[in-house]
Structures are given as structure tokens and as C-alpha cells.
Amino acid sequence: MTTFATRRISQETFDAVVRENVEDFDMDAAEAVREAREQFEHQGVDLTGVDVSGSEERKAERAALLADVALVKKAAAGGVARPDLLEALARAATLCAAGRGRAAASARSTVVAAQGLSALARLARSCVDEATDAVGDAGVLAATLAALDRAVRGDADARDAFQYGGCVEATVAALKAGVKTDAAAAAAALRVAAAAARQCEAVKAAFMRLKLARLAVEALVTAAAARDEAGAGAAAQALAALCAADDVRSATSCTYDASRLALDAGAVHALLAALEAFADAEGGEDAATAALDALRQVAKSDDAVKRIREAGGARACLDALRRNRTRRDRCRRLVGLLRNMANNDDAKDAMCKDGTLEEILGCLERFLRDDAVICEHVVATLAMMALRRPKNGTLIVEGRNGASLVIHAMGAHPAHAALQRQGALALRNFVARSPEFKQPILDAGAETALRAAATCAQANVDVAYAALRDLGVDAKIATFETDASGAVVQSAGPARFGDKANANFKAVFDESADVERRIHDVDALTDQQTKLEEFSLM
């Protein structure tokens, strides 16, 4: 059984247990550390932010980091020599850098525990004249924002702590001043905002209240006009982080409102301008790639898709696909954006006629075995294109043998559950209103692919069964039960659905032949019930 860690401890707690093992149980240092680690892991504690090596070097690093945090706390009130402050900030940023693995996680945990984030926030605000939005000491501000960025990037606890102690307000103050007078400061503040907002709904909401979306769009327009790729990339990353619904811990999300505010602030035109300005840039984290990420996150509604199309976004995507056929990073973002746009009926009809369909099918062919994410995006786009549009389905199936490509993609990535589900949806939509495609699609191997999709994940059973039913296959859904010995076995009855039994499947499905009768019986029972009376307060 898999155990998921649900809580974390501080470095001080771990060190105290190690000392106890040495002093009370006469263990040597290595044995004491190993025993403490095993004890906490057995209790399900997440030790990601704890240095469990027992290294004296790591202890010295933590001591130096605590001294640096103390220095930063004093610096906000003045009285600290500037060279000493810059050295402390640079060392803190270096120790928290993600490339150092567990040691960096321990450093970030130390900064959070010592209230270092709030200290950095106070220092950043002291570098800005908020009355005039002017930057004071640009060098100290840049070093402070760099340390703050490193301290929160990739660390869930640090992001949660970021919402307190004035960190959000300090970041926005630095961004406002930077937009007016210092492009480098604006880019640094936007990088902090992107790192802190990622996967943290509370931070997104706090930034929303301070109009971060509007400020990021302003910064993006300025950076694109100045051909400042670093600034444009930082602004696009901040918009993407703000509009992404990526915090699985939260039951609610403000990202839809964030995307609306970004739209109203002119994000679509700004992002498309950045995409055009930096179209030929190289590298996986360039401004054009970041702009595509942001566009996809902004395209959360039908209105957003309409605005993107009106601004020429569809043509821009098609042109970008043609220019970047061999660039996996760009293709992945482009087909992801087109997947969102295909939710709009007018957009998907146009995409089937303007050459976009041929380009995404070609993209699927090129990356069919190398990139499951590209395959998922393209197959999902094909599924949406064919939904309620039999003419589009005909273009996909007959024009470039799209159904066969979908089946091959499913076979190339059998463990990718999301791709398998989208493949089942696509195959069903191809034949739902075009029965003449049933046999050609079956001849291409659809039945085998769909049975494999059903065994990949329990969530895929319904769509795989529906696709097989629409293809005319007499499929049965297996049921499983616990026998006398406690083992999960297939229950007696018809042949199982799929190629193997999955112990996670619950015995809640009946034979496919019985489903239609049950639906009919429920409908008949509903008709016999008393009609709903008119609402009355009496």
C-alpha cells in the first residue's frame, strides 16, 4: 500500500532527535542520523526540506544562512554596510538555488522558519519610494528579489508562507516602480510573482487583489516594444502562473477571474505581440514559449477564444507551427493552445479548413513515439473537432487517415491514461454520426486499442465502453469481487472487459447488453411519477 506523507518537520526537530539518539541511546553520529530518518519516514513525515545527511558542512551552511537572515532583518532599518548586505543576499540566493537538490530544500526551509521571507520583503520595500514609484538602491533591490525568488521557487511551504509578512505587497510595489523606471527590477519582481503564485491559490488571490494581471500586461507591452526578451518572458510567466488552475489542494479557484482581468487588460494582444517579436528565439524558456503558455491559460472561456481569434491568434498559431515543426517545446505549447481553442465551434470549424488540421496531424506523426503530451493534446483537439461535427470527422478520417494515427498514438503510449481517454473520445466522435467509418476504424485496430485503454485506468472504462458500443462491438464490462481468501477475482459471468483484471476496479458495472434496458426502465418509472407541481410558498 502506498503511504503519502502528510506533514513536515523543521530542521531543528530532526537535529533534536539525532542529539537524543546520541546522548540517551549511545549511538554514533551516523547511526543516530539513520535511526532518526527511519523513525520519521515510518511515521509518514515528509523530510524534503530537512538535511538528513548529518554533514558538518551542511550544519555550517545553515548557521551562515541564519546569520544572513539576521543581517537582512537589521538592514531594513538601516545600519548595515552595503557590501556585507549584498554578500549575505547573494549567499542566501546561492544556498536556496534549486540545482542543489535536498540541500537547497533544507536552506529554503531554514529561511522560512527564521522568518526570512518577511525580512526580505521589508528590505525590498525599503528600496522603493512608493509615493513616486521610484527605485532607490537598484542593486540591493535586485539582489533582494533574486534571494526571494530562490527562496520560494519549487517549495510548497515557502509559497504558503509567502502570502504573509508583506511579501505580496513588496513584490507588487517593486513591480510598479520597475514598470515606470527600471525594467530589470520589473522582470525580477515578475519572476518572484510567478514562482510564488504557482500551485498556491492563496497567493494568486492576494496578487489578484493588488491588480497583478494588469501590471503584468503593462510590463509585457513595454518589454515587447523594447525587444527585452527577459522582461517579456518574466511577464508572460507571471500571467501564466496567475491564470493556471494548478493548486489541487484548493476547492475553489480565482483563475477564471484572473483570466478575465487579463483579457480586459489587453493580455491577448500583448501576448501575440510578444509571440511575434520573439518568434525566432531559441531555448526552452524563451519569451515566445512563455507567451504560448500564458495564452493557453488565458483561453479558459468561449469569450477568450473569440478574442484570440479576432486578434489573429489562430493564424499566428498556424504560422508558428509551420516555422517550428522540429521544435518539440514550441509544438507542445502550440497544440496545447489549439486544444483549448477547439472548444469553440467556430474556431474548430475554421481550423479544419485553414490548414491547421494538416499541421497538427503532421505534428502527431513526427512526435508519435517521442512525446506523449503532444499526442494527448493533438488527439484531444481531434476529438473536439469531430464533436457534433460529422463533416470535420470526415476530414480527419479521410483526409490524413487521422483515426489510424490516433490508434497508433494510443498503442505507442499504453500507460498514459489521459491520452487513452482522449483517444477513446476521438474514435467515438468519428463514428457517432458517420457509421460508414466503423469498419475502417475497426480494421485499423480500434478494438484492441480501446480494450487496452479500459485496463489502463478505471476512469477510462466508461468512454472505452461507449466507443466500442458505437463501433458495434459487443463488449462486456467485467465485475470483480473478493473471494473467501480475501483475494480480488473476476466474478462469474461473461468474459471480462479488457485484457486483464484490475484489482482497483469495483464491482459496479453490469453487462453492456443490460445497460439499455436499465436506462429504459428508469425513464419509464420517471414518466409514471407525479409531475412537479408549480412552486408555491403556501
Side-chain angles (χ1 to χ4, degrees), residues 15-37:
D15 291 343
V17 172
V18 173
R19 283 196 303 272
E20 180 183 0
N21 289 340
V22 172
E23 296 170 1
D24 296 349
F25 298 100
D26 296 326
M27 297 181 186
D28 60 37
E31 184 182 6
V33 170
R34 183 174 62 254
E35 179 65 25
R37 184 180 69 248

Side-chain angles (χ1 to χ4, degrees), residues 276-293:
E276 181 179 358
F278 306 105
D280 297 326
E282 298 294 335
E285 297 299 328
D286 57 82
T289 300
L292 288 171
D293 284 336

Side-chain angles (χ1 to χ4, degrees), residues 57-295:
E57 181 182 356
R58 294 286 182 267
K59 292 179 181 179
E61 284 184 355
R62 288 196 298 275
L65 187 57
L66 288 172
D68 292 337
V69 171
L71 189 69
V72 171
K73 289 179 179 178
K74 294 179 181 179
V80 174
R82 188 174 186 273
D84 293 340
L85 176 58
L86 289 174
E87 183 181 352
L89 291 169
R91 183 164 47 241
T94 299
L95 292 177
C96 293
R100 300 179 68 244
R102 183 180 284 274
S106 176
R108 291 192 292 267
S109 179
T110 299
V111 170
V112 172
Q115 298 181 337
L117 297 183
S118 59
L120 290 167
R122 288 193 297 273
L123 181 58
R125 294 194 80 163
S126 72
C127 297
V128 175
D129 183 349
E130 296 184 41
T132 60
D133 286 334
V135 175
D137 192 326
V140 171
L141 179 59
T144 303
L145 292 173
L148 195 56
D149 180 11
R150 298 286 181 83
V152 299
R153 187 171 295 275
D155 192 293
D157 285 349
R159 290 194 296 266
D160 288 338
F162 187 88
Q163 61 187 295
Y164 307 110
C167 296
V168 173
E169 293 78 5
T171 303
V172 172
L175 175 56
K176 286 181 178 179
V179 168
K180 288 188 175 183
T181 60
D182 191 328
L190 286 164
R191 283 191 288 270
V192 172
R198 190 166 287 115
Q199 297 179 349
C200 188
E201 191 63 35
V203 172
K204 294 180 198 289
F207 276 133
M208 281 282 295
R209 289 191 289 270
L210 296 179
K211 308 294 191 295
L212 177 68
R214 178 178 58 79
L215 291 169
V217 171
E218 290 181 14
L220 178 60
V221 171
T222 302
R227 290 298 189 270
D228 177 8
E229 185 174 3
Q237 288 170 10
L239 284 171
L242 191 64
C243 297
D246 54 3
D247 188 352
V248 297
R249 305 168 301 172
S250 178
T252 59
S253 176
C254 69
T255 56
Y256 181 82
D257 291 332
S259 65
R260 290 287 305 178
L261 288 177
L263 280 172
D264 294 339
V268 169
H269 287 281
L271 290 167
L272 289 174
L275 180 61
E276 181 179 358
F278 306 105
D280 297 326
E282 298 294 335
E285 297 299 328
D286 57 82
T289 300
L292 288 171
D293 284 336
L295 276 170

Side-chain angles (χ1 to χ4, degrees), residues 451-470:
R451 290 185 183 276
T455 62
C456 177
Q458 185 171 352
N460 290 353
V461 170
D462 57 342
V463 292
Y465 163 70
L468 282 170
R469 180 198 63 196
D470 286 356

